[in-house]
Amino acid sequence: MNTPNPNQIAARFRVVRENFTLDVDLHLPDRGITALFGPSGCGKTTLLRAIAGLERAPGGRLVVSGEPWQDARVFVPPHRRALGYVFQETSLFPHLSVRRNLEYGMKRVPENERTLHWDEVIDWLGLTPLIRQQPHQLSGGQRQRVAVGRALLSSPRLLLMDEPLAALDAGARAEILPYLDQLHQKLSIPVLYVSHSAEEVAWLADHLVCLEAGRVVWQGKAADGLTRLGVTAEHSARVVAQEEGWTVLDIEGQTLRLPWLEAKPGDSLRLRFEKNA
Amino acid sequence: MIRLRPFLFATLMLLSGHAAAGKFTVAAAADLKFAMDEIIAHYKQDHPADTPQVIYGSSGKFHTQIQQNAPYDLYFSADIAYPRQLQVAGFASSPVKPYAFGRIVLWSASIDASKLNLSSLADPAIKRVAIANPRHAPYGKRAEEALRATGLWDKVAPKLVYGENIAHTAQFVQTGNAQVGIIALALALNPALSREGKYWLIPDTLHAPLEQGFIVTARARDNAGAKRFADYMGSAAARAVMVKYGFALPGEAGKQGAHP
Amino acid sequence: MKLSPGDWQAVVLTLELAGVVTLILFMLGTPIAWWLARTQSKWKAPIGAVVALPLVLPPSVLGFYLLLAMGPNGWVGQLTQSMGIGLLPFTFWGLVVGSVFYSLPFMVQPLQTAFEALGERTLEAAATLRASPLDRFFSVATPIARPGFMTAGILSFAHTVGEFGVVLMIGGNIPGETRVASVQIFDHVEALQYGEAHHLAAVLLVFSFLVLLALYTWRPKALRL
């Protein structure tokens, strides 16, 4: 997985729907978060479902890590594809506790094939206090965190997220975004992230694919694509020090002093500048 | 739904109010099915103004229904005991008139029953024997008596299946599910069954007589049509039909009511 | 309340019959309900209609056809004979076959409703978590649809207990073999023995009431077929 291969995920699909035709031929990077961005009804969810095998797309072709998941002869059913899928609305099993939900996918992967382990996933997502609860006792944001954890514990080679924050209110989004943001750094698997929110894309994405009416209209590095989304500039910053009500940041060698931010020296932040509308 | 029909019909009759003169309803035991149809047909030719209706069913059920004021004007029972009880209880407007003696036969749709006799029923090759339920069906009672009189009951009882009435019993045999049945001669002689199998007449010395009787019910006290039909049952034409269908007639010596 | 040994025998036989029929219906009705709940096949409507037929067919009609079909000249009868089972009418297993057919909609319809309410999402989530179709069925669909299974089981059982017409037509009224409680009550009535009929009918009535009371108390919407 260490050798970068730009053609790690090759997906070609043509799906005809009543109101649109999805027609894409994509080569996606093998790590980092790739956002599939576009307005509602542009086909991004259909594409994600086709990649998962939840949507039958006859004639499609999909290769992940050199393994054909779909071509003229092969159709690997969803449960044999090493992927994780986080749905927009809650998909936790109502009859199982949070712990049993988290274990569900894990138990179905042989121990020697597990790449992500219980303790680290629970820790990353801060799930420890939730484990003994039942799904109906959780808030919307907590449920999505559990859903992400459940997907990761099945040791996927590809993580698919279908607008995981769209059904949440602003508070819950703000609560969960930092957790997702950390995934970059910790996960060595590619993530496909469907969204129609520029904010989320700006936060999370490394790579960006813009879809309109079923076709790819732009793809490339997220930073380059952000202007398209109304974001004019974005920078990575490191917290140098906290002094007297000010936070000192280092941005590519330049020092910037901002009113106090909740961070520790050494934390990395992302700064985004938007045009005032 | 077969069972519901008399009831539904009864309801309709109630709704339509009491009949005009000449309109009357006959409740007749199931074994009379073919004979009564033919008698009614003759009757209508002779009395074109009258409009009789016939309902067939189990004598016991009619007996219960008449006690609940069912709208039947004449009641023909396969067991004369029922109309006698009704008459005592005041549900009759005529004396109980015996109209026939029924006979029972061995009948089969799969083997030649005319070559059988009662002891054939003990044959292991015969797996199922259908009789009407002796608890409440007159023909079933006589079947049991005949089997007991010949000492066959213990051997045959394990093979017995019970029909709810004599027509249901015939159905078991007709469909081949029972090889042999003990049914009414009147049914064995009817066109539908006589095509499908032969019969052996069980001697009437082996069982109590199947004396059948009818009454005009209390509600038909003033029904002229019902009275006319009651009288018609004594006519030569009606008696001839009864004989044709295997009934022995009261007042005639004929021990063999049929001519197999 | 005193029941005669014959009445007890009929009651025990009835419970045995209803138990066996309900078990078989679980095995037979579940895949049918599953298929009906999920398929988009053009056969969905016709198959659904066939399953529902016993709801409208008069039992005596159904019973008569079964008597013909299971008889020595019927196709079922030919089949059972060639399999060495012999003929089904007048046997306990004949009643089982008839009752399974007759109570089928009472099993299939509540299950179908429960399976339809499951929703696609939960099952898809299980699929992306490595669960095979069979695994998904047992680990997700069955536990979530459990109230539907309870309803279906209770209704099928109760309906079989109350069955009369089919049993009458194919049973032959053999004590300990095919003489179930409903037929026994009918015979008491036909024999004008109303006292015995009342006792046994009261037992059935109380039993059925308790079953339905339990069902309604525990799941008020259970009977919306």
Side-chain angles (χ1 to χ4, degrees), chain C residues 132-191:
Chain C
S132 66
L134 203 64
D135 186 355
R136 303 204 273 278
F137 178 77
F138 285 110
S139 65
V140 176
T142 310
I144 295 180
R146 210 181 61 179
F149 277 95
M150 296 288 288
T151 306
I154 290 173
L155 282 182
S156 303
F157 190 90
H159 188 246
T160 307
V161 167
E163 176 184 330
F164 171 68
V166 172
V167 169
L168 187 72
M169 289 305 284
I170 63 178
N173 208 341
I174 300 166
E177 176 89 15
T178 61
R179 184 179 290 169
V180 297
S182 58
V183 171
Q184 179 83 337
I185 293 172
F186 178 74
D187 281 344
H188 286 324
V189 173
E190 287 285 289

Side-chain angles (χ1 to χ4, degrees), chain B residues 15-84:
Chain B
L15 290 174
S16 62
H18 203 273
K23 193 169 179 182
F24 59 92
T25 303
V26 180
D31 65 330
L32 281 174
K33 170 80 180 114
F34 295 90
M36 187 60 81
D37 279 352
E38 206 166 315
I39 291 171
I40 290 277
H42 287 305
Y43 178 79
K44 277 183 178 165
Q45 281 178 353
D46 295 354
H47 304 89
D50 285 358
T51 49
Q53 300 271 14
V54 196
I55 298 162
Y56 299 100
S58 98
S59 304
K61 191 174 303 117
F62 288 140
H63 170 254
T64 308
Q65 287 174 336
I66 288 167
Q67 287 174 319
Q68 307 299 324
N69 297 320
Y72 306 136
D73 300 303
L74 291 129
Y75 168 44
F76 285 78
S77 170
D79 184 341
I80 201 164
Y82 289 137
R84 278 186 182 143

Side-chain angles (χ1 to χ4, degrees), chain A residues 101-149:
Chain A
N101 264 282
L102 289 166
E103 288 171 348
Y104 189 90
M106 189 176 83
K107 279 183 176 168
R108 286 165 171 79
V109 176
E111 235 166 292
N112 57 2
E113 289 172 27
R114 292 181 195 164
T115 54
L116 288 166
H117 296 284
W118 178 264
D119 292 338
E120 56 185 351
V121 171
I122 299 303
D123 182 47
W124 290 351
L125 293 161
L127 297 177
T128 311
L130 310 180
I131 275 180
R132 291 171 179 282
Q133 314 226 44
Q134 294 295 320
H136 66 87
Q137 297 172 301
L138 306 184
S139 70
Q142 289 172 330
R143 272 190 219 135
Q144 284 304 63
R145 263 155 63 202
V146 174
V148 173

Side-chain angles (χ1 to χ4, degrees), chain A residues 189-226:
Chain A
I189 56 163
V191 178
L192 290 186
Y193 189 101
V194 162
S195 179
H196 67 269
S197 151
E199 187 201 8
E200 286 170 34
V201 172
W203 256 93
L204 301 170
D206 302 304
H207 191 81
L208 179 63
V209 175
C210 292
L211 287 167
E212 261 172 44
R215 287 171 188 276
V216 175
V217 292
W218 192 88
Q219 61 173 318
K221 277 195 173 160
D224 299 339
L226 284 169

Side-chain angles (χ1 to χ4, degrees), chain A residues 52-54 76-83 108, chain C residues 124 126-136:
Chain A
L54 297 174
V76 179
H79 68 278
R80 300 232 177 81
R81 300 183 180 195
L83 57 83
R108 286 165 171 79
Chain C
E124 286 184 348
T128 64
L129 293 166
R130 313 288 192 280
S132 66
L134 203 64
D135 186 355
R136 303 204 273 278

